[in-house]
Amino acid sequence: MKTISEKILSNRSGVDAESGEIVAVPVDLVFAHDGTLPLAIQQLGDHIVKHPKKVVAFCDHASPSPSEKVSNVQAFMRQFARRYGMDFYENGDGICHQIVLERYASPYKVIVGGDSHTCTHGALGAFATGMGSTDVAAVMAHGKTWLKVPETIRVEVSGELPQHVHSKDVFLELVSQITADGATYKALEFCGETVEAMSVESRATLSNMAIEAGAKVGLCAADEKVKAYLTRYGRSNDFKALYPDEGAVYAKQVHISADTAVPLIAKPHRVDNVVPVTELEGTELDQVCIGSCTNGRIEDLRDAACILKGHRSRARLVVYPASRGVLLDALKEGIVETFLKAGASIGPPGCGFCIGRTVALGDDEVALSTQNRNFKGRMGNDKSFIYLSSPSTAAASAIEGRITDPRNRDS
Amino acid sequence: MNIKGEVVRVFPSDTNTDEIISGKYKYDELDLNKLAKHTFESIDSHFYEDCQLLRNPILVAAANFGCGSSREQAPQVLKACGISCIIAESFARIFYRNSFNIGLPLVECAGISKEMARGEDLEVNFDAGVIRNEDRQIELHFKPIPTFMQELLEKGGLMPYLDACGGYTD
């Protein structure tokens, strides 16, 4: 009887793997970006890349390049990718995780990314985990990685989410219960009727945030919705159904009730510092940020636009779609017009505000963002304050220029 | 393996990799020695200089040290500062793996952050799993690191280790 992790790692390692065992597995996809690939290339040294077609490079963290130093770093990456004929995503193509979701990830794949939010791809049933540059170099050289098969924490979400309450709020509730290291070394498996009712995009927010509880991976079953998502992106052949076995053994079970869920906020400077939005209503905001690998997908932009339509933002409003495809869809649906009329600055698809490299805050400024992390200095200034929320809460708050409960607005 | 050194700092729980090295620098600089000057800048501006004054600075921390971003620059800059090893109640998993991959020794030891203070002299015996605080005349025990992880340290990290083994066995 196996958990999703045990199934994938047994399948790929060729051994009957159980939690706690160390296995060596071939890696189906290894990727890194402008923050992590240069160091990986240095660590690779004189070794040759074994499977160049399984390596993908992205310029997304500082994109388009804001300085000559970054341009030189990106040129270094570009030369490397060209030498091997690897897929290379340029400035404005989008965030690595969004492109990997759209074009590469699928059930049963083992994916190593040089970025902690690689766990996002668990939403498509992939064993996807973030590692550092040396591990990325070792995978490039050897085509495999070693892993300890993790124990799993089963997170069952039941009931129906009320209007304006979303998967981001479900995760914030989870991390407030288990804390920032509650899932360290473990896999999270998200299941239950609420997760089944969520779209793949919505589940991707849960999987993306798994690392904020310390988890190795954040997995969802690969069901008919995953099949439909892959089909939408021309990858129906990559689908394989994947569910945990009845009777699989879990280290812990957590239950979250969707019926009683409310919009939540993570306060500075920790992701598990969570309170209901009602406790912070009225907090003045300098900037509202909508986007990131957590909540920069078309559904997220729709949720925000639905609330913003016909209104102007009182706070500075910055919107970064997660990929070129998302931006194109947003244009077609009139969402970009809604944001522009609300006073938003629309950024090129990429990480943008999330890591403070191309968008930064001033001293003592307060931001509300749909990203995944609010550590001190995360957005480029250690004298600023970052609150985290869902896109709906962010949109409602932008209109008022203060933290606002989205349930109090007409949608 | 034995390390004798002085505690340079004791950090609290959940010290994260954004604090160790800010994202605003890591894209600019591939020279880790230059990057090291910005280590802990936002929370501890004298960290780099203080490390230079000690022979074998040892960093001590409470739980979940190195959480957050997977940036390998975090253990790299600590190593470039001269940190000889890090002893914490627990480590975040990507940071743990990254440190061994680059040959920076880590020790997990319950109760460590309460029994050590800045400036104290320590001796860490990796084979026996014992930390001796010379100033307080006390000993703390830890579970010795798995042989495989010790081999990573001995070879200087993951890449040299895999080269020595001839890669993964199929």
Side-chain angles (χ1 to χ4, degrees):
Chain A
M1 301 293 110
K2 294 196 184 310
T3 61
I4 297 179
S5 291
E6 287 167 337
K7 274 194 170 177
I8 298 172
L9 295 179
S10 296
N11 177 287
R12 300 302 281 124
S13 68
V15 303
D16 188 18
E18 276 180 14
S19 306
E21 285 178 38
I22 294 190
V23 293
V25 285
V27 176
D28 298 296
L29 174 71
V30 58
F31 67 92
H33 54 61
D34 44 345
T36 53
L37 184 59
L39 185 53
I41 297 169
Q42 286 184 324
Q43 296 295 84
L44 187 66
D46 296 326
H47 297 80
I48 304 292
V49 175
K50 196 166 183 181
H51 303 297
K53 285 298 163 196
K54 295 184 180 178
V55 185
V56 185
F58 296 89
C59 288
D60 62 0
H61 274 55
S63 155
S65 166
S67 72
E68 59 182 89
K69 275 190 177 174
V70 172
S71 292
N72 289 336
V73 165
Q74 291 180 350
F76 176 59
M77 287 168 61
R78 208 171 282 118
Q79 269 166 34
F80 174 78
R82 256 185 213 142
R83 178 180 153 201
Y84 283 103
M86 301 171 176
D87 286 354
F88 188 93
Y89 289 88
E90 277 291 2
N91 302 286
D93 285 332
I95 305 173
C96 57
H97 302 306
Q98 185 60 24
I99 296 173
V100 169
L101 264 181
E102 292 171 5
R103 299 188 186 199
Y104 297 93
S106 59
Y108 281 98
K109 279 191 176 164
V110 171
I111 300 179
V112 167
D115 188 89
S116 55
H117 293 103
T118 305
C119 43
T120 305
H121 315 298
L124 291 180
F127 189 96
T129 193
M131 292 191 184
S133 300
T134 296
D135 265 312
V136 168
V139 174
M140 289 199 287
H142 298 280
K144 280 186 166 183
T145 192
W146 66 270
L147 290 165
K148 192 168 175 188
V149 181
E151 290 186 303
T152 301
I153 295 177
R154 185 169 180 268
V155 181
E156 185 179 352
V157 191
S158 63
E160 198 176 320
L161 285 169
Q163 201 187 26
H164 298 309
V165 182
H166 302 280
S167 59
K168 182 68 161 284
D169 302 301
V170 171
F171 188 86
L172 290 177
E173 174 58 36
L174 173 67
V175 77
S176 76
Q177 286 186 28
I178 67 174
T179 77
D181 63 353
T184 300
Y185 289 100
K186 297 195 170 59
L188 287 174
E189 248 184 49
F190 300 104
C191 61
E193 57 187 345
T194 320
V195 177
E196 287 162 33
M198 284 179 187
S199 64
V200 167
E201 295 208 344
S202 195
R203 294 173 194 173
T205 301
L206 293 175
S207 296
N208 170 280
M209 294 286 284
I211 186 64
E212 305 309 325
K216 199 155 171 165
V217 290
L219 295 158
C220 299
D223 60 4
E224 287 301 305
K225 287 192 173 174
V226 168
K227 188 177 187 182
Y229 185 89
L230 292 170
T231 305
R232 179 174 144 200
Y233 288 98
R235 303 196 288 124
S236 53
N237 289 340
D238 290 346
F239 178 73
K240 270 186 254 191
L242 174 55
Y243 295 87
D245 291 329
E246 203 62 50
V249 176
Y250 292 93
K252 191 170 167 177
Q253 311 236 9
V254 177
H255 177 256
I256 294 182
S257 163
D259 294 321
T260 53
V262 298
L264 295 171
I265 304 265
K267 298 196 298 184
H269 305 280
R270 295 173 62 104
V271 183
D272 57 3
N273 190 10
V274 173
V275 296
V277 68
T278 45
E279 275 184 37
L280 291 171
E281 279 192 285
T283 306
E284 296 213 5
L285 298 169
D286 296 294
Q287 181 154 296
V288 173
C289 305
I290 296 175
S292 83
C293 56
T294 310
N295 280 128
R297 284 174 270 286
I298 190 63
E299 289 183 14
D300 301 312
L301 300 190
R302 271 185 209 135
D303 285 343
C306 178
I307 291 177
L308 276 163
K309 197 176 170 89
H311 298 283
R312 284 228 25 127
S313 176
R314 283 206 169 94
R316 298 194 309 269
L317 177 60
V318 173
V319 179
Y320 273 71
S323 73
R324 197 178 288 282
V326 170
L327 181 50
L328 282 166
D329 286 343
L331 271 162
K332 279 189 215 133
E333 294 181 27
I335 288 171
V336 172
E337 189 176 331
T338 297
F339 287 139
L340 287 170
K341 286 181 170 168
S345 169
I346 311 262
C351 303
F353 50 77
C354 186
I355 30 78
R357 193 60 192 80
T358 52
V359 179
L361 295 170
D363 291 351
D364 302 320
E365 285 201 317
V366 180
L368 177 66
S369 175
T370 65
Q371 68 198 55
N372 41 55
R373 220 168 252 162
N374 59 351
F375 298 152
K376 200 172 182 205
R378 175 75 185 176
M379 291 175 95
N381 185 334
D382 53 46
K383 299 182 199 67
S384 61
F385 303 88
I386 306 163
Y387 292 79
L388 304 178
S389 77
S390 74
S392 295
T393 304
S397 302
I399 297 169
E400 299 300 323
R402 301 163 200 271
I403 293 182
T404 300
D405 189 336
R407 298 170 298 179
N408 296 339
R409 302 218 51 102
D410 300 329
S411 61
Chain B
M1 181 166 88
N2 256 43
I3 291 178
K4 269 184 156 177
E6 207 176 297
V7 177
V8 65
R9 290 291 192 276
V10 180
F11 280 106
S13 286
D14 306 306
T15 297
N16 64 64
T17 52
D18 275 71
E19 287 166 331
I20 297 173
I21 186 70
S22 170
K24 64 186 177 189
Y25 299 115
K26 72 172 179 156
Y27 311 100
D28 285 6
E29 197 53 78
L30 293 184
D31 182 335
L32 293 164
N33 292 313
K34 286 190 187 161
L35 203 54
K37 297 193 165 73
H38 298 289
T39 310
F40 281 121
E41 201 173 71
S42 67
I43 61 171
D44 190 342
S45 52
H46 297 292
F47 183 84
Y48 177 80
E49 286 92 26
D50 287 351
C51 287
Q52 307 317 302
L53 300 172
L54 302 174
R55 195 178 21 104
N56 269 335
I58 294 177
L59 203 160
V60 172
N64 203 26
F65 184 79
C67 63
S69 158
S70 63
R71 58 193 66 164
E72 192 175 285
Q73 290 88 342
Q76 292 276 18
V77 296
L78 289 170
K79 196 176 176 201
C81 284
I83 296 290
S84 59
C85 70
I86 308 177
I87 312 172
E89 313 265 345
S90 64
F91 291 94
R93 61 157 288 275
I94 305 177
F95 183 88
Y96 187 86
R97 213 180 146 107
N98 283 350
S99 298
F100 281 93
N101 283 348
I102 62 161
L104 175 62
L106 302 185
V107 172
E108 282 191 325
C109 182
I112 190 77
S113 60
K114 295 178 180 55
E115 302 292 353
M116 307 283 154
R118 191 166 158 171
E120 292 178 344
D121 285 317
L122 302 186
E123 181 170 351
V124 185
N125 182 325
F126 284 79
D127 299 317
V130 178
I131 302 166
R132 186 169 169 73
N133 182 323
E134 298 293 353
D135 287 70
R136 298 188 196 200
Q137 293 286 303
I138 55 167
E139 279 187 357
L140 283 166
H141 293 262
F142 62 92
K143 196 165 157 211
I145 342 175
T147 322
F148 161 48
M149 311 293 275
Q150 289 201 44
E151 285 168 10
L152 280 180
L153 293 175
E154 277 158 30
K155 294 284 187 289
L158 181 63
M159 294 299 280
Y161 172 82
L162 285 172
D163 284 342
C165 294
Y168 289 91
T169 50
D170 277 323

